[in-house]
Amino acid sequence: MAQLLQLDASPRESRSHTRTLVGEFVDQWRDARPGDTVIHRDLGHQPPPHLTEDWIAAAFTTPDQRTPAMRAALADSDALVDELLATDVLVLGVPMYNFGIPAMLKAYLDNIVRVGRTFAFDPTAAAPYTPLTAGKRAFVIVGTGDAGYEPGGPLAHMNHVEPYLRTALGFIGIDDVEFVYTGNDEFGGERLRHSLESARARVAALTAEREVAVAV
Ligand SMILES: Cc1cc2nc3c(=O)[nH]c(=O)nc-3n(C[C@H](O)[C@H](O)[C@H](O)COP(=O)(O)O)c2cc1C
């Protein structure tokens, strides 16, 4: 039995293409693996708190030295990290905002990329950073207003979503990441319909493929 963590970063509701596609992904996953647990975190509507000076001081103090106030400052972040560590599969719905990820998702990542919890740091080691999460895979559904941001596409050089997420997730050990793109929201009509159809087909292929491949 696996745990799937569904992260929706769009503040839009029914008009959000990433929410719709992530929802379809999760429905197909549930049908194929009814024993799995699905946790839904709605970053678009309830973003995690931004970091504060107290948070940073606490996170960079070793656990045995933390005061009760420091532990309190990290409570939300600890809960998010615990949830992530217990997760086998992540599914993220990510609107492209100004060529990058939305601030709500960045706030989440700032809370879960944690020294001593999701990566280790040893300044004396030849390789100072060690990822502390292993065996997870992620699926990222990216929604864009234009199209052609995927690797090899005409706007790939303007895509700071995929390179950034590959770096940040890879830093903590999540290297097995699949991206699905749905574009053309700004154009609507046939172009949008075609984009959604392609993304939908890819979601179906991925859930069918992973149904067999995930052996937890
Ligand atoms: C604030 C804002 C910034 C955006 N920036 C971009 C952008 O840089 N490139 C792009 O192609 N589309 C951009 N868009 C369009 C969204 O990526 C597009 O509407 C996408 O479908 C949003 O995801 P959603 O449908 O899940 O809400 C932007 C939209 C908003 C609201």
Side-chain angles (χ1 to χ4, degrees):
M1 206 180 97
Q3 176 167 298
L4 182 146
L5 177 59
Q6 173 184 359
L7 298 170
D8 280 303
S10 176
R12 299 205 293 182
E13 194 60 67
S14 60
R15 293 170 64 218
S16 162
H17 305 307
T18 59
R19 256 177 213 276
T20 301
L21 289 162
V22 165
E24 289 175 16
F25 185 107
V26 171
D27 286 347
Q28 289 161 23
W29 190 275
R30 276 190 213 269
D31 285 349
R33 302 174 58 88
D36 285 1
T37 307
V38 175
I39 294 177
H40 185 203
R41 200 159 270 287
D42 193 338
L43 305 175
H45 293 130
Q46 284 101 36
H50 285 301
L51 306 190
T52 60
E53 180 165 358
D54 287 347
W55 187 102
I56 295 166
F60 289 90
T61 299
T62 53
D64 56 317
Q65 298 293 314
R66 282 182 195 139
T67 63
M70 285 175 160
R71 287 197 287 276
L74 292 176
D76 287 339
S77 167
D78 277 330
L80 293 174
V81 171
D82 291 344
E83 180 180 84
L84 176 74
L85 293 176
T87 288
D88 305 289
V89 178
L90 290 95
V91 186
L92 292 86
V94 184
M96 175 183 278
Y97 283 171
N98 302 311
F99 311 104
I101 64 168
M104 303 77 143
L105 178 57
K106 183 61 164 54
Y108 175 80
L109 292 169
D110 288 343
N111 274 277
I112 58 104
V113 179
R114 277 269 308 274
V115 65
R117 298 230 50 203
T118 54
F119 74 95
F121 176 59
D122 177 357
T124 64
Y129 303 101
T130 310
L132 294 179
T133 80
K136 302 186 194 310
R137 44 181 52 103
F139 299 88
V140 182
I141 299 174
V142 183
T144 64
D146 209 317
Y149 290 100
E150 64 285 350
L155 300 186
H157 62 290
M158 294 162 83
N159 179 356
H160 297 274
V161 173
E162 179 167 341
Y164 171 72
L165 286 177
R166 283 198 186 280
T167 299
L169 294 174
F171 186 69
I172 61 171
I174 306 173
D175 295 315
D176 183 353
V177 188
E178 298 273 2
F179 281 80
V180 177
Y181 286 85
T182 181
N184 285 309
D185 188 33
E186 277 153 20
F187 295 92
E190 270 305 292
R191 283 174 71 166
L192 173 60
R193 201 181 58 75
H194 184 258
S195 254
L196 285 168
E197 266 176 19
S198 305
R200 188 163 277 135
R202 183 136 156 72
V203 163
L206 284 171
T207 53
E209 188 185 301
R210 295 297 169 142
E211 178 194 340
V212 182
V214 174
V216 182

